[in-house]
Amino acid sequence: LLSYLSFPCRYFRWWYKKTHLEKKPAFIDLLCAVPLQQIYGCPLGGIGGGTITRGWRGEFCRWQLNPGIYHYETVIADQFTVCLRCKGQTIYQQVLSMERPSTLQGWNWGYCGQYAFYHALYPRAWMVYDLPGQNVVLTCRQVSPVIPHDYEDSSLPVGVFIWEVENGRDEDVDVSIMFSMQNGTGTKEDGSGGHWNEPFAFEKEGERVAGVLLHHCTHVNPFTLAISAREKTGTEVTHVTAFNPAGSGREVWQDLLQDGRLDSPAGKSSPTEKGEVTAAAVCASCRVPAQGHRTLELALAWDMPRVYFGSKEKLHLRRYTRFFGSGGDAAPALSHHALTHYEEWEKKIEAWQKPILENSQLPSWYKSALFNELYFVTDGGTIWVELPPDCCAEDLQGPAGAGLSHLLPVLREYGRFAYLEGQEYRMYNTYDVHFYASFALVMLWPKLQISLQYDIAVTVVNEDVQPRQYLMCGQTAQVKLKNVVPHDIGDPGDEPWQRVNAYLMHDTADWKDLNLKFVLQVYRDYYLTHDSLYLQDMWPVCQAVMESELKFDTDNDGLIENGGFADQTYDAWVVNGPSAYCGGLWLAAVCMMCKMAEVLGDTEIQQKYMDILSKGKEAFERLLWNGKYYNYDSSGSDTSSSIMSDQCAGQWFLGACGLDEGEFEVFPKSHVVSALKTIFEKNVMSFAGGTMGAVNGMRPDGVPDTSSVQSDEVWIGVVYALAATMIQEGLVEEGFHTAEGCYRTVWEQLGMAFQTPEAYREKKVYRSLAYMRPLSIWSMQLALEHRAGRAPAPSQLPEVPTHP
């Protein structure tokens, strides 16, 4: 007890050293949480090239260009401005922003928000401006290349803005849209000096794009921003190479006001002095006939091809450099590609989304949640890098990874992918959480899930013997034990993949869920992808982690025991002895070991795990089933009879893989349905009037379990997984009702659009904004597709050839 009480002292000592002496961000900063801003909209950019988030009022307000590191700055110069002209006179010129800033006061700010509307369906968003008194409506459609099963354009760091102009007047109107942008991301580096801008034009296959490049010349991770527009018959593109965004901006405003065009000076701007900030603008103009309609197409691209993480040890090339080069000069080609391919992207996005959007049996909140929660795939501090060209298998395998025969070909073809546990919890590929989120990857970008699993497999078979002190208990242990699954693959402030387990709270070598979650994902991935080479490579790793896990079955009854501390993903909720959560995951993993052994023709291992399964099933029912649901644990403590919302996690994965009936039925169907109905009655309907999802822990008398800070929280990603389990078991209405509470609480009541947190409580307390786990909503979609008969049936699975 004393060691836990001294946690705050240990944490503060460590935090002070990290943030004040080493001047590095903490992997979890408990002392400086990111303040809630209810402003975010749909982020821009593909996967792994960095993201720029726009707010629902149109501002550019959240930046992640350095991998995994966020800046929450609204850069006021980054704006769209409209100019309307009739008969050679400017009749209306307005910044399309409700802001009234202290800079750029020569501009006409304060657009009336009642005349604008925002709608987002990731990866697209729409902003409609009904220009007051003008009889002109502008619709800006924002598109990012986030396309399922696409591993090329989905990696591009670009966003396109298609401006549809509707002229309701009885006379022609000349319309100009000016896009202005500051050189930088709103941090102090913008004034560090040496930044410069230059105009560009890029022509290919008869298509011409013109704009301005803003070269941001920092010592580490320099980048270029490009603002551009598409030239076509009737559309003129003009620019201002440089203006001062800290001044009044009057010269730019007057330039546009005069003739609806910008001056378009030739040549580069001179590099900025220290303390000076620069910006640029591009303008697209066309004539819109009376009662007519025209389109103007603008784009934003950013090119930071070569990146270092915080340690600055290794140079990494982003995925898109495979197609656009790593010289730092790709912004013109990226801009051109985006403006000439966005229509094709939209066709693919619509073909993917349409069947779901047009399904009248699905509630509209679900359609919003399903697609909009996907923002985290790109905006989870996501990085997607290429292997170095000279990389060989030995470089990747470490001392003990030689058995992974397809590691090199997979990573060479699809690169390495990593995303953060959360924007505030800076650990890449946090595995106990990815377990939930992985449904989005395996269903939409399965090769990224396979690549991630290979990276985890390599770390499993290797070790890091460096000793360190863990903050929660104060004990010293090595960083990474051999043959156990790591908690994460590293901190973006350090050197991910090279140094794993950035999580310093607990020694996760003794966690009970990580090894099991690896096995469950391996079979689930195989079931959905039919990738038999992957299964063969992962089989020895599965055996190794299950051998490590067997030591937790201390009484040899076929069921593992928890260790009397918070030894699983609920890392502040103590669990003792056999438990519903870890015991259920264990039995599901044992069942999948039997199934994989059968597919691979490994009869000896199959028999071994069949024996464990029959013993373990009996023990699980005897020790945990109470007639209505499975007890939290079997310790006999005051809270061991708590109703855990996540008690059927093992069944969730079994059902997702078609292993929930016949010879593979692990948990009696009647018990599963009874447990889910109890959770619905108690954790959902007896909590907050049934409107906030499922509380993690509920006492049998209908009062939330307050024995831990996590037991009386709602975890959104767990609720989506619970809803999927309900749908799998035929409780479809209950599943939708349960998940709807979370969506409406987060996206409507709390205003946390595009920053879904890990957790909230009934009284509006929340924790860890912009979190990975809610991607589990895609397991609801898988469950619905299974019910509709569109997912693979077990009989279709190919037999894997056995090698002598």
Side-chain angles (χ1 to χ4, degrees), residues 101-116:
S102 57
T103 52
L104 297 174
Q105 291 203 325
W107 294 15
N108 185 22
W109 295 90
Y111 184 84
C112 178
Q114 288 173 305
Y115 293 91

Side-chain angles (χ1 to χ4, degrees), residues 445-614:
W445 293 276
K447 300 298 186 188
L448 295 184
Q449 166 68 4
I450 299 287
S451 164
L452 184 156
Q453 286 283 90
Y454 269 99
D455 272 328
I456 293 291
V458 167
T459 66
V460 166
V461 296
N462 288 295
E463 62 184 343
D464 181 345
V465 297
Q466 186 79 27
R468 63 179 182 180
Q469 187 187 39
Y470 288 91
L471 298 173
M472 196 63 83
C473 62
Q475 289 170 339
T476 297
Q478 69 183 62
V479 171
K480 166 71 175 66
L481 213 58
K482 190 176 169 67
N483 290 342
V484 300
V485 171
H487 174 274
D488 59 83
I489 57 105
D491 176 351
D494 185 29
E495 193 59 57
W497 291 297
Q498 188 169 316
R499 283 188 292 280
V500 304
N501 279 348
Y503 180 75
L504 258 183
M505 296 297 189
H506 294 276
D507 175 9
T508 59
D510 285 330
W511 274 20
K512 308 304 180 286
D513 59 341
L514 290 166
N515 296 329
L516 307 174
K517 287 172 173 177
F518 180 79
V519 173
L520 293 168
Q521 285 184 68
V522 166
Y523 183 73
R524 189 272 322 266
D525 298 345
Y526 168 66
Y527 175 75
L528 293 175
T529 65
H530 299 173
D531 186 337
S532 46
L533 295 174
Y534 164 73
L535 184 65
Q536 283 169 321
D537 267 0
M538 295 298 147
W539 180 233
V541 187
C542 288
Q543 291 177 67
V545 299
M546 287 299 277
E547 278 301 317
S548 294
E549 193 76 13
L550 270 168
K551 70 175 179 287
F552 300 129
D553 178 10
T554 52
D555 56 4
N556 197 30
D557 63 351
L559 192 60
I560 59 166
E561 288 87 45
N562 287 87
F565 64 103
D567 53 358
Q568 25 68 49
T569 196
Y570 298 88
D571 58 355
W573 193 359
V574 171
V575 56
N576 211 337
S579 69
Y581 182 68
C582 291
L585 292 174
W586 162 255
L587 290 180
V590 170
C591 173
M592 289 195 186
M593 288 297 285
C594 298
K595 182 64 182 175
M596 287 188 280
E598 179 192 286
V599 170
L600 290 159
D602 193 333
T603 49
E604 191 183 332
I605 295 290
Q606 185 180 1
Q607 191 56 53
K608 172 182 173 174
Y609 283 100
M610 292 293 273
D611 294 345
I612 294 171
L613 186 59
S614 69

Side-chain angles (χ1 to χ4, degrees), residues 35-41 54-57 59 61-62 745-755 764 766 769:
L36 171 63
Q37 298 184 81
Q38 297 160 316
I39 65 173
Y40 297 115
R54 289 186 79 205
W56 49 266
R57 285 177 291 214
E59 67 272 54
C61 52
R62 184 169 71 193
T745 300
V746 170
W747 291 76
E748 293 175 1
Q749 306 300 319
L750 298 176
M752 293 178 179
F754 298 101
Q755 53 182 330
K764 304 292 189 282
Y766 65 89
L769 287 170

Side-chain angles (χ1 to χ4, degrees), residues 61-91:
C61 52
R62 184 169 71 193
W63 307 79
Q64 186 255 146
L65 298 191
N66 283 316
I69 306 298
Y70 277 84
H71 296 294
Y72 303 90
E73 301 285 343
T74 295
V75 183
I76 206 67
D78 299 355
Q79 298 291 348
F80 288 100
T81 297
V82 62
C83 171
L84 304 182
R85 290 171 60 78
C86 275
K87 302 188 179 77
Q89 295 290 316
T90 297
I91 54 168

Side-chain angles (χ1 to χ4, degrees), residues 209-229:
V209 163
V212 184
L213 303 175
L214 299 90
H215 300 292
H216 195 76
C217 306
T218 47
H219 293 303
V220 180
N221 300 348
F223 61 90
T224 296
L225 294 165
I227 49 173
S228 62

Side-chain angles (χ1 to χ4, degrees), residues 687-705:
F687 175 74
T691 62
M692 290 181 81
V695 69
N696 281 341
M698 182 64 92
R699 299 296 301 136
D701 61 2
V703 176
D705 179 341

Side-chain angles (χ1 to χ4, degrees), residues 435 439 520 523-524 527-528 584 588-589 591-592 648-661 664-667 669 672 676 721 724-730 779 782-787 791-794:
F435 170 73
F439 281 89
L520 293 168
Y523 183 73
R524 189 272 322 266
Y527 175 75
L528 293 175
C591 173
M592 289 195 186
C648 296
Q651 176 69 11
W652 170 45
F653 255 70
L654 289 168
C657 301
L659 292 180
D660 54 348
E661 52 198 5
F664 290 106
E665 182 180 275
V666 175
F667 309 99
K669 209 64 158 172
V672 171
L676 291 171
T725 316
M726 289 174 168
I727 291 166
Q728 281 169 193
E729 302 301 329
S779 68
L782 183 66
L784 290 165
E785 289 176 12
H786 271 150
R787 284 182 64 77

